[in-house]
Amino acid sequence: MKELKIVVLAKQVPDTRNVGKDAMKADGTVNRAALPAIFNPEDLNALEQALRLKDAFAGSTVHVLTMGPGRAAEIIREAMYRGADGGYLLSDRAFAGSDTLATSYALSRALLNVKYDLIVCGRQAIDGDTAQVGPQVAEKLGLPQVTYAEEIQEIKNGTMRIRRRLERGVEVVECPIPAVVTINGSAAPCRPRNARLVMKYKYAKAAQEAQDASEDYFSLVNERPYLKLTEWSVNDIRCEARELGLSGSPTKVKAIENVVFQAKESRVIPAVDAEMDALMRELITNHTIG
Amino acid sequence: MNSVFVYCEIEDGAVADVSLELLTKGRTLASRLGVKLEAVVLGHGVAGIEKQLFPYGTDVVWVGDDARLAPYTTLPHAKVLVKLFGEERPQVALMGATSVGRDLGPRVSSALHSGLTADCTSLEIGDYTEAKSKQEYKNLLYQIRPAFGGNIVATIVNPDCRPQMATVREGVMRKEVLDPAYRGEVKRLNADEFLDDTDLVVKVIERHVEKSKVNLKGASIIVSGGYGVGSKENFALLHELAAVLGGEIGASRAAVDAGFAEHERQIGQTGTTVRPKLYVACGISGQIQHTAGMEESAIVIAINTDPDAPINKFADYVITGDLNVVIPKMIQYYKKNSK
């Protein structure tokens, strides 16, 4: 197998395990600024699969494509610390409010800017849990897709062999490249940061981040062009404006309700012996247990 | 009027439970809208499958019976659905939120440029007024799902694009026969009119069933742990209680994400929905993401150090305290009283 050009679709997501009450804006969209942002966990699994292929096929490259605000360049750097060669930040207000369909449209249009043999991404992102963007990108690019993948076992004669993890078992499929493969959380975890790569790439910046950078950064970039991360706005991709953002999103948020719990008639049981004794006796007597 | 469609999954010649649950819900929606309920079955050797579908109030069963349609692969099924939906123009199309439905649904929705809402916990019919244009829409599908880690419940609509597509997990909707004698019509799909070689590039080489060791759906007692359990080691205590009571171990998403329990033990919107006789929630705060999957439990015991944990509102018995103290006492007094 010759070398591969691999693109990893990744998303910086709010850490939904640490959600505060300012998480949502009045219009029902996510207030990203109020939340800690992390590399979407399953996208890290996808990155690992890409890096393994890079290890296996000398000369291969791995690039991350992410859509988001300027801050999302953090995950491109994070991927580079772990072995990715670079990345592309797709960032523009025109993308704001995109549902999965508008997102996959924008990503698929950005992918027209690059050459690839294989696209991998996480099965789903933890902020939406939809698992839709991978298959939708595949459809828009006219590529086959393999979802719920756990391991890309080999690539031979332009055909991948992939193990999938399904509800009730395991399936092995063959799929030609190019294709879109979405990686399950049960796949191998991503390798840690490499200290040498952290040193090399820690000053890498996308254009939005470089706006506030010092003179030193620009002289550094002159010497080390890899510190300038590619950033695309809506003008850098071939696309129809009406397919982007809110106007390109068939799904609309009609209502957002904060969760209000209907309380049951609860009995409070003190955690002392006599009470625990009585509770267990009651549960046995009414045939709940035993 | 345009129908409600349900894409049905087949397992070993039988229609999957999730599909029957969706037909039950689809019947309610179709009746509310005054339209037909139609089912789509794509597979091989599925003759007579309509007999399993009619009792749920299915008016039309579309059957594609062809070797190229089984085992399931994405492209052939997507090709058939895209063409069929393009011609029949359903107003609503439902699929299971399974590894099949979540593979197929987005592909079809992308090709049709229709909206798709994943993992809905409720589906209703209602009206919608677009905020800016003030345009009014009648009888849209309300696709209701918890979002954002379960802190909110969002109602999603697709005002302009058809079909309005949604996936629902197994066990979320009720499965109920409408009328055992209900009869509809069978319409055959000829795969030759849909498929060509480019749809067959992905091949299933091997599949084997690895029976999950975990049986949450069948368990009448579930001892479930959350992030508050604190560690994988502390989960051993839960296992002990479950073993004594003859129950199964469940976990919240936070506990699974933290590595305290296996993924297949996850209960909630993105895990399994359970309805046991007894649910013991240990160190679970009770976000809706979780409670959506356990709120129909008959009896709930909540053990939590936080007296104001939201889970307590679902609990019949609230025990405020350290589970390392409480659980050993439960085991001790269960053993004492069961003798």
Side-chain angles (χ1 to χ4, degrees), chain A residues 157-179:
Chain A
N157 305 323
T159 298
M160 294 182 283
R161 182 182 281 251
I162 298 171
R163 186 177 73 241
R164 305 178 69 210
R165 171 66 55 174
L166 309 177
E167 294 95 339
R168 289 171 184 83
V170 166
E171 184 177 276
V172 178
V173 299
E174 283 184 355
C175 175
I177 55 170

Side-chain angles (χ1 to χ4, degrees), chain A residues 27-56:
Chain A
D27 64 355
T29 56
V30 178
N31 184 9
R32 283 172 197 285
L35 290 160
I38 58 171
F39 203 121
N40 178 49
E42 286 185 328
D43 295 341
L44 278 173
N45 295 106
L47 175 63
E48 176 60 25
Q49 291 299 311
L51 293 173
R52 286 181 181 201
L53 291 172
K54 181 183 164 179
D55 294 341

Side-chain angles (χ1 to χ4, degrees), chain A residues 2-53:
Chain A
K2 63 173 180 63
E3 71 274 10
L4 295 163
K5 290 186 168 51
I6 305 168
V7 177
V8 180
L9 306 181
K11 184 179 187 185
Q12 191 181 45
V13 291
D15 189 347
T16 50
R17 289 163 290 193
N18 290 304
V19 176
K21 57 180 183 300
D22 306 325
M24 307 303 293
K25 289 190 268 193
D27 64 355
T29 56
V30 178
N31 184 9
R32 283 172 197 285
L35 290 160
I38 58 171
F39 203 121
N40 178 49
E42 286 185 328
D43 295 341
L44 278 173
N45 295 106
L47 175 63
E48 176 60 25
Q49 291 299 311
L51 293 173
R52 286 181 181 201
L53 291 172

